[in-house]
Amino acid sequence: MPGENLSRDEARARAELLSVDGYDVALDVRSAAGDAEEGAGPRTFRSVTTIRFRAAEPGAPTFVDLIAPSVSSITLNGRELDPAAAFDGSRIALDSVAPENVLVVDAQCAYSRTGEGLHRFVDPEDGEVYLYTQYEPADARRVFANFEQPDLKAPFRFEVTAPEGWTVWSNREGARAEDGVWRFAETRPISTYITAVVAGPYHYETDLYERELTDGTMLRIPLGAMCRKGLARHFDADDIFLVTKQGLDFFHDHFDYPYPFGKYDQAFVPEYNIGAMENPGCVTFREEFVFRGRVTQASYERRANVILHEMAHMWFGDLVTMQWWDDLWLKESFADFMGSFSMVEATRFTSGWVTFANNRKAWAYRADQLPSTHPITADIRDLEDAKLNFDGITYAKGASVLKQLVAYVGREAFLEGARRYFKRHAYGNTRLGDLLSVLQETSGRDMKEWSRSWLETSGVNSLTPQAVYDASGRIAELAIAQDGDTLRPHRVAVGLYRVEDTKLVRYARAEVDVAGARTVVPELAGAQRPSLVLVNDEDLTYCKVRFDEDSLATLRAHLGDIDDPLARALAWSALWNLTRDAQLPARDFMDLVLRFAGRESDIGVLQMLHAWARSALVNYAAPAWREEGGRLLAEGALAELRRAEPGSQHQLTWARFFASVAAREADFRLLSGLLDGTAKIDGLDVDQELRWAFLEPLAAHGRADESAIAAELARDDTASGKRHEVRCLAARPSAAVKAQAWAAVVESDALSNALVDATIAGFVQPSQRDLVVPYAPKYFEAIERLWSERSIQIGMDVVRGLYPSLQDSPETLSATDEWLAAHESAAPALRRLVLEARDDLARALRAQERDGA
């Protein structure tokens, strides 16, 4: 990524010098149509940008951001600049600016195959071409010349010349004029990274949201939803519009600031790197949210959560935007929290906080224990830092802390603070202090002290109950011990549980403010001796929950008897953290899953338990026990699959898990029979997506060859089918196959982002540890070159995905340390990724030692 970085200091200096009055961007994407590539270089499109801006210091030099193969002309205030002298591949140098300036840049920009910039996708099913943009944090410069930093907001006017028969969308309303050019209304002042263009023969459906505002006027928001034509038969736009309207109702009820961006389109696009992007008026989502086969309610809940997360960004992030990426949490933490908050209160997914506690926070706990952990308000030196900080801390820990903040200041004070924040800073940029000041106004609390404890420090605390009982068996004293590098204030609920009529139920509860190393809970003194003490009951704070010996023994015997779904999810989460921390043997956790997961009612929790159990086997179980552990998991999964109610989502979930852990010849015979119709499980509909899920383990274990995979692709010759095919081909247990997959990802850049991901997923198979041994030294030889040559997204995918974690030995740890010692001057973002992978491996080795003991 040579020359493509931008430092915070550079951005700050440029913001002090410049203010931007507006952009006119004209794109000609007619070159996107057709299959033939033009010459040896990348396929390009014409981009003509006019920027009107002012300078506080006339005569000062500055620069404009642009990543493009070539620039045809540059005109500053009527003066032609020499592109060869001014443009270096990522920046256009402006030697002297006037008080008022007009810059025109005519460039040839490249279509993307990595999901960064203007991505071009050819549908293998029908040959149709689809385009969409994705910019965050700084890839708008791959599409048009601009000042690529969030605090130089401006209005934008887009016009797009597209192939005949295409439709084009952008942030505002638009139409195709008589000259064939699509022209769009001017936006309100927004940052470059949330501008958007979507173009192609998309299937498009419409609806309308109407609401009477408090002043009596009617708010009308045109709604649109789109996907590729090949997915139209699977597109449930009605459910998407339902959740969208419920979200708009919720945010208008609570934010007292009408949606400010006109229309609301939602585009489900192919080969998308992330979950979704909050472009105002033109939100983009990964098309995997259009479900091709049967899925569980957890998938619909996840989609609803993402829809609402992106909608919250219309206020937190788009209307009011962080000044620089240090305060990324000002949008992502809030959107993550508001996504769950609104989903639980406004939609049918009322158990969303259970999912949050069990799933979302697991991401945060992992990230907060890595060597790269950072405060929620992070120190972001440059764009590479920013790209890596879209992580579990910025999203899930930040959301967890906000959930605790609502308990701390009160719901109404929190929402009133948000309302004042929007009105005070609309279309502007903010920092941490701007939010704290309004929350202090509305709550009367000292927000600076809270911020120092929760936003400006890193790490996670552990809370452990300590009980002393009197001679009658009642609690004489119950205290909570807090561990961690920084001891923080926690508002927690403590629940006491006992067995009643085969259920483990709560019979006493107290809320307490934990402070310091030890806090006594006086309200629970005198209570009968509990079977289980659950600290952080109801999930009010962000912490790792620990258990006393009696409680842990109770969970071993009665975990499935906990009546409350949230309490049960919290117990599972705590046990998983104990496993990751090498305090609970991996085989013990897997035993708990085998004994109690079949009774889990929450489908999202069940899916997490399956993922954790498989991770325990692959990463944390002692190597000598893995084969037996795999057999036990496969036997248990099959037993639960056969016990599950026919046609239920639990049956579907157990079927997928069984395929992922299949280990015995009988398992493979059953999977093959389910594919060819010679075997049946009552109620299990083996649709196309499930067929691929069954085929991959057969390919990985040598039971399905290239011809079987080709035959499956013939049944499903679609974009999704192609990704599955690539993954299955790379999964085959052959040294030649592994060499081919490695070369396709590491030695070539011909694959798109989606096929890079699929190839890596197939390459890394836990049953093939010996096959990939030769690639550990090759990995360390390749990564610095690869990081310098590829886009940051592909670099991240490869460095993370191909780290030799399957060679889980001290020798791999030493090889990692040797690379780090020899590459101290490597890009900080690259070193961070390697350090994180090393930490995961070191954690796995500690857990394996514990399990073996």
Side-chain angles (χ1 to χ4, degrees):
M1 289 148 273
E4 295 180 10
N5 212 346
L6 174 71
S7 74
R8 176 177 52 204
D9 291 342
E10 289 176 309
R12 184 177 295 149
R14 188 163 63 175
E16 291 173 354
L17 175 66
L18 304 179
S19 56
V20 187
D21 295 319
Y23 289 83
D24 291 301
V25 180
L27 307 177
D28 187 341
V29 297
R30 288 174 293 182
S31 58
D35 294 325
E37 295 293 340
E38 301 154 0
R43 183 188 290 255
T44 63
F45 59 93
R46 187 182 183 193
S47 169
V48 181
T49 307
T50 301
I51 313 175
R52 301 175 302 281
F53 65 98
R54 287 167 285 131
E57 184 182 338
T62 189
F63 62 93
V64 172
D65 301 293
L66 176 68
I67 297 174
S70 65
V71 172
S72 303
S73 65
I74 306 168
T75 305
L76 177 63
N77 300 327
R79 177 170 58 97
E80 295 284 340
L81 305 184
D82 179 7
F87 179 57
D88 66 2
S90 61
R91 294 182 179 184
I92 296 172
L94 305 179
D95 55 2
S96 177
V97 293
E100 296 186 0
N101 301 271
V102 177
L103 175 71
V104 181
V105 178
D106 189 340
Q108 289 294 318
C109 294
Y111 296 104
S112 170
R113 291 275 285 150
T114 67
E116 302 153 294
L118 181 59
H119 189 82
R120 177 180 179 270
F121 173 79
V122 181
D123 192 333
E125 188 173 4
D126 55 18
E128 296 282 16
V129 176
Y130 295 89
L131 304 179
Y132 65 85
T133 57
Q134 170 57 31
Y135 297 149
E136 192 173 42
D139 285 317
R141 56 195 171 144
R142 297 181 186 275
V143 178
F144 60 92
N146 64 76
F147 299 111
E148 188 83 279
Q149 58 192 79
D151 59 344
L152 287 177
K153 286 183 161 184
F156 288 81
R157 284 196 298 256
F158 285 94
E159 63 177 56
V160 180
T161 305
E164 192 72 28
W166 279 25
T167 306
V168 183
W169 296 264
S170 187
N171 302 90
R172 288 296 308 275
E173 302 81 1
R176 187 174 186 269
E178 291 183 3
D179 60 3
V181 178
W182 290 81
R183 292 185 175 85
F184 297 90
E186 186 174 73
T187 72
R188 303 300 297 266
I190 57 175
S191 301
T192 54
Y193 76 92
I194 51 176
T195 59
V197 171
V198 175
Y202 284 89
H203 169 77
Y204 184 62
E205 299 190 30
T206 62
D207 205 332
L208 179 67
Y209 174 80
E210 295 183 291
R211 177 189 182 89
E212 185 175 351
L213 300 177
T214 53
D215 63 3
T217 61
M218 287 297 296
L219 175 67
R220 292 181 175 85
I221 304 174
L223 305 179
M226 71 196 81
C227 68
R228 288 185 295 113
K229 290 194 298 186
L231 287 176
R233 65 188 181 276
H234 306 293
F235 196 38
D236 53 340
D238 287 348
D239 191 53
I240 291 165
F241 288 137
L242 172 64
V243 172
T244 301
K245 291 177 181 180
Q246 290 169 332
L248 288 168
D249 275 341
F250 179 88
F251 292 125
H252 283 100
D253 286 343
H254 292 88
F255 284 173
D256 191 31
Y257 197 108
Y259 172 72
F261 297 112
K263 68 180 180 69
Y264 200 83
D265 281 324
Q266 297 175 94
F268 294 80
V269 298
E271 297 191 324
Y272 204 51
N273 286 321
I274 58 176
M277 184 65 208
E278 66 267 18
N279 315 307
C282 192
V283 184
T284 41
F285 298 82
R286 63 187 303 114
E287 71 175 16
E288 286 77 5
F289 286 125
V290 180
F291 305 121
R292 298 198 317 148
R294 185 163 176 261
V295 296
T296 68
Q297 279 301 300
S299 295
Y300 289 100
E301 179 186 312
R302 172 64 180 147
R303 183 175 71 183
N305 184 278
V306 174
I307 288 171
L308 296 169
H309 174 116
E310 303 310 319
M311 188 179 293
H313 273 312
M314 299 301 119
W315 291 266
F316 285 109
D318 294 359
L319 177 66
V320 184
T321 311
M322 71 276 156
Q323 183 174 316
W324 176 249
W325 302 102
D326 294 13
D327 283 309
L328 177 62
W329 80 281
L330 280 173
K331 73 183 188 78
E332 293 302 347
S333 298
F334 274 87
D336 218 48
F337 169 74
M338 294 304 303
S340 293
F341 185 32
S342 59
M343 183 176 69
V344 169
E345 300 214 353
T347 77
R348 65 186 185 273
F349 303 107
T350 55
S351 63
W353 288 125
V354 176
T355 307
F356 182 85
N358 189 250
N359 183 321
R360 206 65 176 165
K361 290 179 82 169
W363 183 29
Y365 293 141
R366 175 188 175 271
D368 215 6
Q369 295 174 87
L370 290 169
S372 57
T373 186
H374 56 85
I376 294 172
T377 55
D379 179 25
I380 303 298
R381 297 161 296 185
D382 55 33
L383 291 177
E384 288 192 9
D385 278 358
K387 183 74 171 178
L388 267 64
N389 262 44
F390 289 82
D391 60 12
I393 295 172
T394 302
Y395 283 72
K397 180 181 179 179
S400 303
V401 168
L402 290 175
K403 188 169 186 279
Q404 190 220 43
L405 177 63
V406 173
Y408 178 63
V409 304
R411 172 187 171 119
E412 185 50 38
F414 175 81
L415 291 171
E416 177 58 26
R419 291 188 280 267
R420 295 187 190 184
Y421 180 70
F422 301 143
K423 291 169 183 172
R424 196 168 296 175
H425 301 288
Y427 304 107
N429 296 87
T430 56
R431 302 200 65 183
L432 168 64
D434 298 308
L435 179 68
L436 296 182
S437 65
V438 294
L439 289 172
Q440 189 153 320
E441 288 173 17
T442 58
S443 70
R445 297 270 197 167
D446 180 2
M447 295 308 302
K448 289 184 179 178
E449 184 59 37
W450 177 85
S451 173
R452 279 192 292 269
S453 295
W454 283 105
L455 302 181
E456 299 169 48
T457 61
S458 61
V460 56
N461 300 117
S462 297
L463 301 183
T464 307
Q466 297 176 337
V468 178
Y469 301 100
D470 61 22
S472 68
R474 293 182 176 272
I475 294 176
E477 181 184 82
L478 178 63
I480 299 173
Q482 178 179 192
D483 294 320
D485 293 336
T486 301
L487 301 184
R488 299 178 179 86
H490 296 263
R491 182 70 177 175
V492 300
V494 181
L496 305 184
Y497 289 75
R498 64 189 174 201
V499 178
E500 295 180 1
D501 298 326
T502 73
K503 295 292 186 183
L504 194 57
V505 298
R506 189 173 71 188
Y507 66 92
R509 173 193 181 276
E511 281 194 29
V512 63
D513 289 315
V514 171
R518 189 172 186 272
T519 302
V520 175
V521 188
E523 295 88 344
L524 295 177
Q528 291 183 349
R529 183 171 187 144
S531 301
L532 167 68
V533 180
L534 183 58
V535 177
N536 197 32
D537 205 354
E538 301 174 21
D539 198 35
L540 298 184
T541 193
Y542 171 80
C543 70
K544 289 196 292 187
V545 172
R546 300 305 199 200
F547 301 108
D548 58 18
E549 290 186 9
D550 289 351
S551 297
L552 189 55
T554 296
L555 291 174
R556 289 181 185 274
H558 296 286
L559 176 52
D561 299 329
I562 299 176
D563 201 36
D564 178 65
L566 179 55
R568 197 169 58 245
L570 291 169
W572 278 117
S573 175
L575 291 165
W576 178 239
N577 279 321
L578 288 171
T579 306
R580 294 188 72 249
D581 292 346
Q583 296 187 31
L584 181 72
R587 66 189 70 190
D588 288 8
F589 181 83
M590 291 163 60
D591 176 67
L592 289 166
V593 171
L594 289 171
R595 288 194 291 124
F596 297 123
R599 298 166 59 185
E600 179 53 57
S601 60
D602 188 288
I603 199 68
V605 172
L606 179 60
Q607 290 172 346
M608 281 302 297
L609 294 180
H610 288 165
W612 289 343
R614 190 166 187 269
S615 181
L617 175 67
V618 172
N619 299 309
Y620 302 144
W625 186 78
R626 277 189 194 131
E627 185 175 352
E628 181 184 351
R631 177 183 59 79
L632 291 171
L633 270 190
E635 289 177 354
L638 180 56
E640 293 294 347
L641 169 58
R642 294 194 184 280
R643 271 196 292 265
E645 179 184 348
S648 67
Q649 58 182 349
H650 283 71
Q651 183 189 55
L652 176 62
T653 299
W654 282 107
R656 289 184 170 278
F657 181 54
F658 168 66
S660 74
V661 297
R664 305 162 300 168
E665 192 58 41
D667 300 336
F668 302 130
R669 284 198 303 270
L670 175 58
L671 291 175
S672 296
L674 290 169
L675 285 175
D676 65 23
T678 59
K680 297 285 186 185
I681 294 177
D682 187 27
L684 185 65
D685 177 19
V686 184
D687 61 24
Q688 187 58 63
E689 286 296 297
L690 199 55
R691 290 184 64 86
W692 285 114
F694 289 173
L695 186 61
E696 184 184 345
L698 293 174
H701 289 86
R703 270 69 172 185
D705 60 14
E706 186 173 0
S707 64
I709 298 168
E712 199 62 39
L713 180 64
R715 290 175 59 106
D716 183 28
D717 193 9
T718 64
S720 299
K722 182 63 178 176
R723 291 194 297 272
H724 287 305
E725 179 223 20
V726 167
R727 180 169 175 157
C728 287
L729 287 172
R732 291 171 295 157
S734 156
V737 164
K738 298 305 173 186
Q740 184 180 24
W742 178 271
V745 170
V746 176
E747 306 304 333
S748 168
D749 63 356
L751 294 180
S752 69
N753 54 326
L755 297 186
V756 166
D757 286 346
T759 304
I760 291 172
F763 180 89
V764 180
Q765 295 289 328
S767 61
Q768 300 170 1
R769 294 173 191 266
D770 292 343
L771 270 178
V772 293
V773 165
Y775 296 96
K778 292 181 179 181
Y779 171 89
F780 292 111
E781 292 166 6
I783 54 175
E784 189 168 33
R785 170 188 59 81
L786 189 142
W787 188 263
S788 68
E789 294 174 354
R790 305 289 182 89
S791 73
I792 189 169
Q793 181 64 51
I794 297 297
M796 288 166 56
D797 292 344
V798 176
V799 172
R800 282 175 172 154
L802 291 180
Y803 180 80
S805 58
L806 292 179
Q807 277 64 67
D808 46 358
S809 67
E811 289 74 24
T812 305
L813 214 56
S814 296
T816 308
D817 291 337
E818 289 170 8
W819 185 90
L820 289 165
H823 295 81
E824 292 184 356
S825 61
L830 171 60
R831 285 181 56 85
R832 169 177 168 169
L833 291 172
V834 176
L835 279 165
E836 289 177 348
R838 183 208 182 277
D839 190 75
D840 281 339
L841 177 57
R843 178 180 291 273
L845 293 175
R846 291 193 298 271
Q848 290 173 20
E849 183 178 2
R850 175 71 178 89
D851 187 63

